[in-house]
Amino acid sequence: MRKTILTGDRPTGPLHLGHYVGSLKNRVDFQDKYDSYFIIADYQVLTDQLSKAENIKKNIKEIVLDYLSVGIDPDKSTIFVQSQIPEIAELTFLFSMLITMARVERNPTVKEEIRASGTKKASLGFISYPVSQAADILVVRADAVPVGKDQLPHLEITREIAATFNRLFGKVFPMPEAILSQTPTLPGLDGQKMSKSRNNAIFLSDSPGVVEEKVMKAITDTKKIRIDDPGRPEICNIYQYYLAFFPEKAKEIKPLCEAGKIGCVACKKQLAEMLNEFLDPIRKKRSQYAKKPKLIDEILEQGRKKTRKRAAETLSLVKQAMRIDY
Ligand code: TRP
């Protein structure tokens, strides 16, 4: 029997190169090895962007297009929308009794998100979203969860909930393991963490012109002003892109930059060209799928059906174990 994995994204906007390097690329490989579920976590968006609910519908379609365009194959993997699986909400409720308030309040990722948002009034739904994420994972009884470092606290809560449930009622859940992404995080064009809200991301769906424009504006080594100034690739954003996407080219560029034999403009031009070459087939695939909106609906419907079948099984096991199967 193949092991089951589950991972996913919040539909807050189009996916970018950081998502590709840190996660999407691996998923394409995982789908041949594991029974793979990819969740589009729309309810999780509501936990902190309630006022932007109207954008979610469009973003879901965009994310499916992003998935398909990079090679996630709906015949191999299951792509589904969180809110279409009512068993997740039901499981979230049951799980909320297996964890203390103090424990959910001790989650460093949630704390950091609350700090960054500046709010003094985080909702119950927000503080407890990791419990809902535990339900995302355990509803399909996933054995493993491919994630980045920031998600590890949520996975820890998931494992604690699974262990508590199993101890109290008998073994229903596996202990999901993290499959931690090994690639270093790709910085945004300004050197900060790449994110849509920071306006420093290159999206998979960006046109060639936009990619070029963004790359040309990127910050490099600020001490390298003239072409023949020696550069420091290890602190340069652009070099990180070479490393992540074109490691062979990175080897070639490094000594040239350090010796002041190549300027940042030429280096960026070259990168923009190579990125566009890399993105071309992805863009092509995307535009083919974009012409078939019905197909996207069918893919999500197929994902919904398959996930609900497994989710119904899980809920039935849970209720039997708890002796609430009346
Ligand atoms: N919290 C994840 C993110 O923001 C998205 C997500 C929702 C997720 N449910 C999940 C990831 C379950 C892994 C497993 O990126």
Side-chain angles (χ1 to χ4, degrees), residues 64 81 148 245 247 274 297 309:
V64 177
V81 176
F245 287 91
M274 292 179 84
D297 292 340
K309 186 156 172 263

Side-chain angles (χ1 to χ4, degrees), residues 21-22 181-187 240 244:
V21 169
S181 168
Q182 293 305 320
T183 34
T185 317
L186 189 72
Q240 293 304 313

Side-chain angles (χ1 to χ4, degrees), residues 264-287:
C264 295
V265 172
C267 185
K268 289 201 256 188
K269 264 219 169 89
Q270 167 97 66
L271 177 71
E273 249 169 57
M274 292 179 84
L275 280 178
N276 274 328
E277 222 168 275
F278 164 80
L279 286 170
D280 266 340
I282 294 176
R283 283 189 283 246
K284 207 171 274 161
K285 237 177 155 178
R286 187 191 178 82
S287 74

Side-chain angles (χ1 to χ4, degrees), residues 101-259:
M101 274 296 277
R103 179 63 185 89
V104 282
E105 283 171 348
R106 218 165 53 227
N107 182 306
T109 297
V110 175
K111 276 195 199 159
E112 171 52 26
E113 285 166 342
I114 290 174
R115 197 200 57 75
S117 79
T119 182
K120 297 218 157 41
K121 293 196 247 174
S123 69
L124 173 61
F126 185 76
I127 294 172
S128 66
Y129 87 75
V131 179
S132 154
Q133 187 157 325
D136 298 341
I137 295 165
L138 293 174
V139 85
V140 300
R141 285 166 278 139
D143 301 293
V145 184
V147 278
K149 255 211 321 264
D150 63 325
Q151 300 292 306
L152 288 179
H154 305 343
L155 194 60
E156 208 39 56
I157 280 183
T158 304
R159 292 163 58 88
E160 284 174 32
I161 288 174
T164 304
F165 185 97
N166 290 349
R167 178 169 49 75
L168 291 176
F169 303 112
K171 187 168 180 342
V172 168
F173 296 112
M175 275 308 131
E177 305 274 347
I179 304 176
L180 200 56
S181 168
Q182 293 305 320
T183 34
T185 317
L186 189 72
L189 297 161
D190 55 359
Q192 309 248 40
K193 185 181 174 201
M194 187 182 281
S195 88
K196 192 171 79 101
S197 54
R198 285 199 181 85
N199 217 349
N200 64 358
I202 296 177
F203 298 106
L204 294 166
S205 48
D206 278 345
S207 69
V210 168
V211 170
E212 183 171 354
E213 195 181 309
K214 285 181 174 176
V215 170
M216 294 317 287
K217 277 198 218 145
I219 295 170
T220 54
D221 175 357
T222 48
K223 287 206 175 134
K224 182 166 162 65
I225 297 161
R226 270 165 293 170
I227 292 179
D228 52 1
D229 289 338
R232 294 168 295 170
E234 66 283 0
I235 62 145
C236 174
N237 300 320
I238 290 299
Y239 184 65
Q240 293 304 313
Y241 284 70
Y242 277 112
L243 277 181
F245 287 91
F246 316 108
E248 284 308 307
K249 194 76 190 170
K251 275 186 211 147
E252 196 181 299
I253 295 268
K254 189 167 185 275
L256 292 177
C257 172
E258 285 170 339

Side-chain angles (χ1 to χ4, degrees), residues 1-5 30 33-37 141-144 177 310:
M1 271 281 279
R2 291 207 302 178
K3 292 203 164 182
T4 299
I5 60 164
F30 290 149
K33 273 215 311 242
Y34 300 103
D35 193 7
S36 307
Y37 288 85
R141 285 166 278 139
D143 301 293
E177 305 274 347
R310 185 138 174 116

Side-chain angles (χ1 to χ4, degrees), residues 308-326:
R308 275 212 78 182
K309 186 156 172 263
R310 185 138 174 116
E313 251 169 48
T314 303
L315 259 292
S316 154
L317 290 170
V318 161
K319 289 185 179 177
Q320 274 170 38
M322 294 175 77
R323 307 277 193 275
I324 54 169
D325 53 337
Y326 32 75

